[in-house]
Amino acid sequence: MKQTEINYTTPAQPRQLRLDTTTFCQAKCLSCHRFLSERRGRMEVSKVAEILEDVARWPEPLSEVIPVNYGEFFTLKEWHLILKMIATKLPGTQITIPTNGQLLTEEMVPRLCDIPTVKIINFSVNAAFDETYEGFTGLPAENIRHIMKTVRQIKLHRPDIKVWASMVFDPSYQTDIERDAFLSYWKSIVDTVWVLSASSACRSDKRAILPTRIPCRSLFSDIVVGFDGKLSSCCFDAGFTLNCGVYTGDLKKDWRNPKLEAIRKAHNEHLREEYTLCAECTSA
């Protein structure tokens, strides 16, 4: 099969909505695209409510909502209020929460588990060895043990919640031995252990050597609403530089706005290079 034989159709609505509720994070993970941007801010709770009320009017329930984009959700003092709003306004939508786990305290876990539509919690661990963890994340290695304790507590309160542990793998940071140790260690602790490649993904220090022609699936599946109303449909566009338009109050209409449709058309015609962000990315 040739790369140019692959293309996608745009569904009537996105499968996943990511809310850019905060760009702040106490970790400093080496692979994080947050550091490619100086964009910093938090979304007003009233704006979160507006977006949720808009999506609640869709004839088909949204499949998944992630209440953060590039930031640590539990830095928000309103974290529980936001989750409760999502569960109330979108009762048929799964909530998935990515977190580094450090701020998720023993007292917070029962409140988190009380949100019935929280279905997946992904702990970004990224290392097996203490030294690598501290160098990679900027957090104390004791947080690994804290995550393990938190996983056990979650399973005690809500065994139906799927708990994941993830590693962004790059030989620049971790060895193959560490990757394999990570997989072996966590497979008996969580429901899913996954390793994802750092790839090039628009990073200046990870330039693609061969051009990618395959359209990016994210453009045909995901929508991200920034804290300031900017839109994106890219997994790695932490700076919202792709210019996908702004939220108008009608997200289903925005999903098919001319700017997003033009980007999708370029990808389906295998002309990713028309967009600098996409030309330098290997994600597909």
Side-chain angles (χ1 to χ4, degrees):
M1 177 182 285
K2 297 178 180 179
Q3 291 190 39
T4 51
E5 293 175 347
I6 300 173
N7 57 39
Y8 301 105
T9 58
T10 308
Q13 65 186 50
R15 187 197 71 81
Q16 180 194 92
L17 165 64
R18 295 199 297 280
L19 297 172
D20 186 34
T21 51
T22 180
T23 65
F24 296 95
C25 182
Q26 82 283 21
K28 295 179 173 60
C29 298
L30 295 175
S31 63
C32 185
H33 291 75
R34 174 174 166 268
F35 297 108
L36 299 178
S37 169
E38 295 180 357
R39 189 173 177 278
R40 297 289 182 267
R42 294 183 176 90
M43 185 179 287
E44 296 290 336
V45 173
S46 59
K47 176 59 69 174
V48 176
E50 177 188 351
I51 296 167
L52 296 176
E53 288 167 4
D54 171 21
V55 174
R57 292 192 289 268
W58 294 1
E60 295 293 330
L62 176 71
S63 295
E64 181 180 46
V65 61
I66 299 177
V68 73
N69 190 40
Y70 277 98
E72 172 54 48
F73 183 60
F74 295 107
T75 62
L76 293 169
K77 65 179 185 299
E78 307 93 349
W79 69 270
H80 188 262
L81 172 62
I82 291 171
L83 292 181
K84 190 173 181 180
M85 286 169 53
I86 296 171
T88 301
K89 296 179 184 298
L90 303 177
T93 299
Q94 167 182 294
I95 299 174
T96 297
I97 304 173
T99 177
N100 60 52
Q102 187 188 40
L103 302 179
L104 187 52
T105 66
E106 185 177 352
E107 293 74 26
M108 292 165 64
V109 169
R111 299 181 70 208
L112 173 62
C113 292
D114 281 345
I115 306 296
T117 53
V118 170
K119 299 298 182 181
I120 297 174
I121 300 173
N122 176 55
F123 290 97
S124 301
V125 184
N126 294 317
F129 307 136
D130 288 2
E131 300 89 344
T132 312
Y133 183 82
E134 292 185 348
F136 186 95
T137 69
L139 298 176
E142 184 55 34
N143 194 48
I144 298 175
R145 268 68 73 187
H146 171 70
I147 291 172
M148 293 174 57
K149 181 179 177 181
T150 303
V151 170
R152 290 193 292 268
Q153 191 181 5
I154 290 169
K155 285 301 184 181
L156 182 63
H157 286 274
R158 282 278 305 279
D160 63 296
I161 291 178
K162 300 300 182 184
V163 181
W164 298 358
S166 65
M167 167 189 273
V168 176
F169 176 70
D170 189 317
S172 302
Y173 311 130
Q174 312 104 330
T175 64
D176 291 355
I177 289 176
E178 180 153 18
R179 176 202 59 205
D180 295 346
F182 176 85
L183 289 165
S184 177
Y185 183 77
W186 284 94
K187 68 181 181 181
S188 63
I189 299 171
V190 297
D191 298 292
T192 299
V193 188
W194 63 306
V195 173
L196 59 157
S197 172
S199 65
S200 71
C202 321
R203 294 174 56 198
S204 58
D205 61 333
K206 301 288 179 185
R207 299 286 187 184
I209 297 174
L210 298 176
T212 300
R213 301 294 183 190
I214 299 173
C216 182
R217 290 169 291 177
S218 181
L219 291 169
F220 302 86
S221 175
D222 309 343
I223 192 76
V224 190
V225 182
F227 68 83
D228 51 4
K230 288 184 178 180
L231 296 176
S232 187
S233 190
C234 171
C235 298
F236 299 110
D237 188 16
F240 285 72
T241 60
L242 200 52
N243 191 18
C244 299
V246 297
Y247 176 60
T248 66
D250 187 342
L251 192 59
K252 191 172 182 182
K253 183 178 179 181
D254 296 336
W255 170 243
R256 302 299 297 265
N257 75 31
K259 291 182 176 180
L260 268 168
E261 290 290 79
I263 298 170
R264 293 181 184 121
K265 182 174 183 292
H267 272 244
N268 268 338
E269 292 177 352
H270 312 287
L271 298 172
R272 292 170 62 131
E273 65 270 17
E274 291 186 358
Y275 295 88
T276 300
L277 195 73
C278 305
E280 297 180 353
C281 182
T282 56
S283 180

